[in-house]
Amino acid sequence: MDRIQQAEEALKKAEEKMNTRYRLGYHIMPRANWINDPNGLIHYKGEYHVFYQHHPYDENWAQMHWGHVKSKDLIHWEHLPVALAPGDSFDESGCFSGSAVEYNGKLALIYTGHNVIDQEEDIFYQNQNIAVSQDGIVFEKLQENPVIAKPPEDSSRHFRDPKVWKHRNSWYMAVGNSTKENVGRVILYRSPNLRDWEYKGVLAQSDGDLGYMWECPDFFELGGKHVLLISPQGIEADGDLYKNLHQTGYLIGEYNDETNEFVYGDFTELDYGHDFYAVQTLLDDKGRRIAIGWMDMWESEMPTKADGWCGALTLPRELTLRDDHKILMNPVEETALLRKSKHMDCANQLISGNYLAKTAEELLEIQVVYDLTDCSAETVGLKILGLEEEETAIKYSITDQKLTLDCSKMGKSRDSVRNAPLEANGKLTLRIFIDRSSIEVFANHGETTMTSRIYPKKDRLGIELFSEKGNVMVDELTYWALKDIWKKDESLKKNIMHR
Ligand code: FRU
């Protein structure tokens, strides 16, 4: 049987068996079984396409396929058939991460072929390949594959995650790589036709502190600067920074495309939550740079494996550059399409202690604005409360200028607290998206973001605002119940097991 069809049948069977207790309401997730990185993000012929690393046969990572969804508005997604299945001579063991471009009106995917030689000794080779589609659904791998058979001489065997873009009349490809001495870096290729690639050299490389391998590069212009997004493996934790197993962040600076010289500053993390990795971006026809990340982390607790699925992608987020060259990340404006009923509470009230806005809604957008100008409290924040003392807490310490996300009472048993720097003077605005098993916090208009998976066991009780050691003025508390884009009918509920 055709490999794609076989994957489709496996998914259909797995879908029937799934426990839906933690299924998300408005995020991209697999129909069933495993997903990781977002791949091939593109705005193509008026529709947004997102592919993702996918194992359709199991809830664990294994031979990587590419899953596929598309949407007209970045909100209402539709699953399409699996786009790529591994097993050809150049992608024997997996179709790893990569990107998409439009080429002569066709949709071209550029991806890494993963080929294992010796599983036990972890010996493999990786190469770059292309698959093309006329209709944006069915993809054909090129006869010429691999288009880049091996990395440069001074490279380790890690050679993956091609991100391709067009500049003037040439195609460029940034690839995640490391040196023979295991120093993480991104290397660059150029091509006139997507098939023949010339090696141009190293775009950026770790100074020794930025890890042993850089995965999932993305390189683009933003607000007059050049930004290199990377997902480095092996950065040591440093206080509140770099707390996840692997990080995702950016280098920002000036790029000279004649000399291939990229002069950049310090590495900055893009999100400070537990579950954000392998982010990729697209440029849409409105000129927006939109980023989507994998909303999980390697080797973390993944309770939904027991339910027959695992992994999700973040909300699409628009990236903009502030005057001081900090990247701001905010949910795309289309997220307003998710809003159902709107509730306003507690506006212009001084709170001292706690204030509870009761709601049993599972899918929520919350906006709260605190006025910190004459505030006597040391800490202010908000808790998403469940019954029996379940809670996810977001706290801002005015004294330490730190935002904290605490998921210890919401199903994350290990290493469940994260802190992030945030200089909030005057107002503190928290915009929070809660799905059944995720939280995304956007503080002060995208200055600091924190994304984590959460695993509630009880029903929701409400949203509690709080102040510690003093009082604070609440300018606004607005929340919206959000739509479940995946729910076609109520019969899905039949699979909800007793928690
Ligand atoms: C990042 C990554 C990529 C690789 C893919 C494999 O999470 O390790 O480097 O292409 O996942 O699934």
Side-chain angles (χ1 to χ4, degrees), residues 84-298:
L84 296 176
D88 288 293
S89 59
F90 44 86
D91 60 16
E92 203 70 65
S93 327
C95 298
F96 274 18
S97 286
S99 50
V101 294
E102 183 170 347
Y103 186 72
N104 293 339
K106 296 180 198 150
L107 183 52
L109 307 181
I110 306 96
Y111 70 97
T112 297
H114 182 61
N115 301 272
V116 174
I117 298 169
D118 184 329
Q119 182 93 37
E120 257 157 45
E121 299 287 323
D122 195 28
I123 299 177
F124 58 82
Y125 67 92
Q126 298 182 325
N127 54 27
Q128 315 313 327
N129 301 294
I130 293 185
V132 175
S133 173
Q134 303 275 2
D135 62 359
I137 299 177
V138 178
F139 290 84
E140 210 171 306
K141 296 176 186 171
L142 291 192
Q143 297 275 335
E144 294 99 310
N145 283 337
V147 292
I148 306 180
K150 51 180 195 313
E153 286 300 313
D154 64 346
S155 166
S156 76
R157 61 173 76 106
H158 295 276
F159 176 50
R160 57 179 176 268
D161 312 336
K163 175 71 199 244
V164 176
W165 68 95
K166 197 172 188 182
H167 180 59
R168 302 209 179 100
N169 284 328
S170 294
W171 295 97
Y172 289 81
M173 181 198 289
V175 187
N177 182 232
S178 56
T179 64
K180 271 207 165 68
E181 297 74 32
N182 296 320
V183 178
R185 65 180 185 176
V186 172
I187 54 178
L188 194 73
Y189 290 80
R190 191 170 70 185
S191 166
N193 55 12
L194 276 192
R195 285 168 162 83
D196 305 301
W197 292 92
E198 177 197 2
Y199 179 52
K200 297 297 290 176
V202 176
L203 183 62
Q205 177 165 325
S206 166
D207 55 5
D209 290 334
L210 285 183
Y212 56 80
M213 166 62 193
W214 289 4
E215 299 190 307
C216 302
D218 198 344
F219 192 52
F220 50 85
E221 258 186 86
L222 190 71
K225 295 276 167 193
H226 265 86
V227 174
L228 179 63
L229 293 182
I230 43 173
S231 292
Q233 298 179 299
I235 302 187
E236 304 265 315
D238 177 11
D240 290 332
L241 304 179
Y242 320 135
K243 297 282 278 188
N244 292 331
L245 181 65
H246 307 315
Q247 275 61 48
T248 289
Y250 60 92
L251 301 168
I252 187 160
E254 315 290 337
Y255 176 63
N256 180 333
D257 61 357
E258 314 245 300
T259 58
N260 186 34
E261 207 186 347
F262 179 42
V263 180
Y264 52 87
D266 292 339
F267 176 75
T268 309
E269 277 178 277
L270 204 50
D271 186 290
Y272 293 88
H274 298 83
D275 296 292
F276 184 84
Y277 193 60
V279 73
Q280 192 181 105
T281 72
L282 63 82
L283 188 65
D284 78 353
D285 66 4
K286 296 190 182 111
R288 296 181 297 178
R289 182 57 65 177
I290 295 169
I292 296 182
W294 176 33
M295 197 162 59
D296 280 287
M297 177 50 61
W298 293 112

Side-chain angles (χ1 to χ4, degrees), residues 22 24 27-30 33-38 53 59 215 231 244-248 271 273-279 292-305 309-315 317 412 418 437-440 451-455:
Y22 291 134
L24 293 157
H27 285 85
I28 298 172
M29 58 179 175
N33 290 329
W34 169 273
I35 74 168
N36 53 291
D37 312 356
Q53 290 284 279
E59 66 279 4
E215 299 190 307
S231 292
N244 292 331
L245 181 65
H246 307 315
Q247 275 61 48
T248 289
D271 186 290
H274 298 83
D275 296 292
F276 184 84
Y277 193 60
V279 73
I292 296 182
W294 176 33
M295 197 162 59
D296 280 287
M297 177 50 61
W298 293 112
E299 294 177 31
S300 61
E301 294 164 85
M302 294 174 174
T304 67
K305 281 190 179 179
W309 70 286
C310 191
L313 306 185
T314 65
L315 277 176
R317 300 159 177 205
K412 259 193 165 35
R418 286 284 181 275
S437 57
S438 70
I439 176 163
E440 291 166 277
T451 302
S452 291
R453 297 298 298 277
I454 48 175
Y455 300 102

